[in-house]
Amino acid sequence: MSFDIQKIRKDFPILSRKVNGYPLVYLDNAATSQKPQQVIDCIVDYYSNYNANIHRGVHTLSQEATDAYESARKKIQTHFNAKEAYEIIFTAGTTHGINLVANGFSEILKKGDEIIVSAMEHHSNIVPWQMLCEKTGAILKVIPMNEEGVLVFSEYEKLLSKKTKLVFVNHISNALGTINPIVEIIEKAHEVGAAVLVDGAQACSHIKPDLQRLDVDFYVTSAHKMCGPTGVGILYMKEEWGNKLPPYQGGGEMIAEVTFEKTTYAGLPHKFEAGTPNICGGIAFGAAIDYLNTIGFEAIEKHENELLKYATEKLLKIDGLKIYGTGPDKTSVVSFNIEGIHPYDIGAIVDKLGIAVRTGHHCAQPIMDFYKIPGTVRASFAFYNTLEEVDALVTAVKKAKMMLS
Amino acid sequence: MTIEAIQEELIDEFSMFDDWMQRYEYMIELGKSLPLIDENLKTDDKLIKGCQSKVWLNSEMKNGKIIFTADSDAIITKGIIAVLVRVFSNQKPQAILDANTDFIDEIGLKEHLSPTRANGLVSMIKQMKMYALAYQTQLNN
């Protein structure tokens, strides 16, 4: 299918609204993506026609809902090329998935074991591990990054040893857009027998990871960054890990048999899916993946790279503007500051001009500490953004600069 | 001047502007007039939590009235706090405690009240009222 940007934009009702009297220019896609009509329709259809609890009712509605939910799981399995559908565990989102794994490892780690995280993690990928280390006596090590916002691979290799039990790294940095070399990171970790969890929250709207080829142990992501609804995501875990890790929460759905003496747990994936799940969310996640695949990830990548290149060139022409995250492999995120101006001030003024960007530390304070800055202005582009919108951003930033200096 | 009178004055001033840009430019101007906190008082315990930009706020009692000084690393935030200092500084603690803050809406700064803006306007007002409460409690004892 050819990439028709105007046709694509028509799929997203929100893109035609105005903000503060200006057409909305939505450049906060790294925080959450907008939703196409196809996904909105799917949600309406679910609640209008076959809302029911799943996996237990024998009645028709429950069957239909169960079929739709499980077929979404299959869709997700196919999309990410997982070996089995039951290796896909529905979660409330990336953070939930990370905590589920961290909780499981609290039973496995011993004092003196080591876990490695990268210096460019989101807070949600730092805090659970700190808690885990406090609980188990394991030691947290950090892969440093360089000025370009790229991980220093040789330092990573030095950190690895027989003591390393786990490596956690994001696929793509939310604050900088850097794509991390996860293939090599996974390979090296496996050489010392460590497991790897990759946080794909920022990646999956831009690229299509092949989980079997990556040979990753755990992979987490959220639907809402991929044109799906909030409150749902997935945790992929290799079957062997699924059998090894203990359940996270007790409740309905995750049991095989319950007596007051003993409960036996259900198999994968239900062991990790206690309680009534976000049924509609799971189904709509499937619809979002269908939508993205109709456009095609190759076309998405090509268009987004064009936006990134154009925005980088245009923004750098503004005097005193500095971009953070300048590595060779990055997605369509431009994190920047203008000398002498606080990012918050820029964000407040461009918002008045209808432009949605993010300002602040982007839940990645260690990165801001590294650069010794309070935060950045972050424009993050999606496939439905246009070159004209980049122009609007650049004009707005220039206006802000004029007002503020 | 009473708090109400100062608020009326601000509403008057801001009503002269036709659009947001003039309003923001005026706020930036106001920010420049902010009575600055002493550099050596810019310590962590003077920082107001909940702001994307840093805001330091200091208070002292002089002749039964609270004097506020402040600073911020962001210009618009500085303008906002300048407005608040103008309203609440040099006032008796009880008057600060009794004051309502509806004028913020009327001068077109309502959007800054939203917690998602994370600029801490709400936190700033709360902190000023906390200081007032502390001083008032001292006076009562």
Side-chain angles (χ1 to χ4, degrees), chain A residues 52-223:
Chain A
N53 210 333
I54 54 169
H55 293 149
R56 10 182 175 238
V58 290
H59 58 80
T60 307
L61 283 192
S62 176
Q63 298 269 346
E64 286 178 12
T66 305
D67 287 351
Y69 191 67
E70 288 308 322
S71 100
R73 194 192 305 271
K74 278 222 153 57
K75 241 176 233 176
I76 295 165
Q77 175 211 350
T78 310
H79 178 80
F80 288 103
N81 194 26
K83 198 169 165 209
E84 306 290 348
Y86 54 72
E87 291 175 317
I88 302 291
I89 292 145
F90 278 116
T91 62
T94 301
T95 303
H96 177 206
I98 292 169
N99 278 283
L100 195 155
V101 177
N103 176 72
F105 269 85
S106 70
E107 314 263 310
I108 293 171
L109 290 179
K110 289 190 249 354
K111 197 167 178 239
D113 283 345
E114 292 179 357
I115 53 187
I116 296 176
V117 299
S118 89
M120 58 173 81
E121 294 307 308
H122 189 276
H123 292 166
S124 67
N125 214 356
I126 300 173
V127 181
W129 310 124
Q130 284 174 336
M131 288 163 64
L132 181 62
C133 286
E134 272 169 31
K135 202 168 154 189
T136 59
I139 299 156
L140 194 67
K141 304 252 168 170
V142 181
I143 315 169
M145 63 174 207
N146 63 18
E147 270 294 313
E148 284 187 314
V150 175
L151 292 178
V152 185
F153 201 80
S154 55
E155 290 297 321
Y156 167 60
E157 287 181 295
K158 279 186 216 158
L159 292 177
L160 285 166
S161 76
K162 284 267 176 282
K163 286 187 201 157
T164 314
K165 293 292 174 285
L166 275 165
V167 176
F168 308 102
V169 63
N170 54 31
H171 197 161
I172 291 174
S173 154
N174 72 307
L176 305 172
T178 309
I179 305 175
N180 286 317
I182 58 166
V183 175
E184 293 78 7
I185 287 173
I186 294 164
E187 253 176 42
K188 288 286 168 195
H190 284 172
E191 279 173 18
V192 298
V196 181
L197 164 66
V198 173
D199 170 357
Q202 286 305 322
C204 299
S205 56
H206 306 290
I207 45 187
K208 188 171 171 172
D210 181 331
L211 297 178
Q212 284 190 76
R213 225 171 93 193
L214 284 171
D215 195 29
V216 67
D217 303 278
F218 306 94
Y219 195 96
V220 284
T221 197
S222 295

Side-chain angles (χ1 to χ4, degrees), chain A residues 342-345 359-362 365 374-375, chain B residues 44 46-57 70-74 76-78 80-81 84 112 114-128:
Chain A
H342 197 281
Y344 173 78
D345 287 327
T359 64
H361 54 59
H362 317 300
Q365 264 169 1
Chain B
D44 278 359
K46 305 278 188 219
L47 271 177
I48 296 177
K49 302 266 182 293
C51 310
Q52 244 188 52
S53 47
K54 283 189 169 160
V55 178
W56 295 269
L57 178 70
D71 201 359
S72 171
D73 54 353
I76 293 172
T77 311
K78 224 166 144 170
I80 293 170
I81 194 143
L84 293 180
H112 294 280
S114 152
T116 63
R117 294 302 294 250
N119 65 20
L121 177 52
V122 176
S123 315
M124 289 178 208
I125 295 172
K126 203 171 134 200
Q127 192 60 41
M128 287 177 151

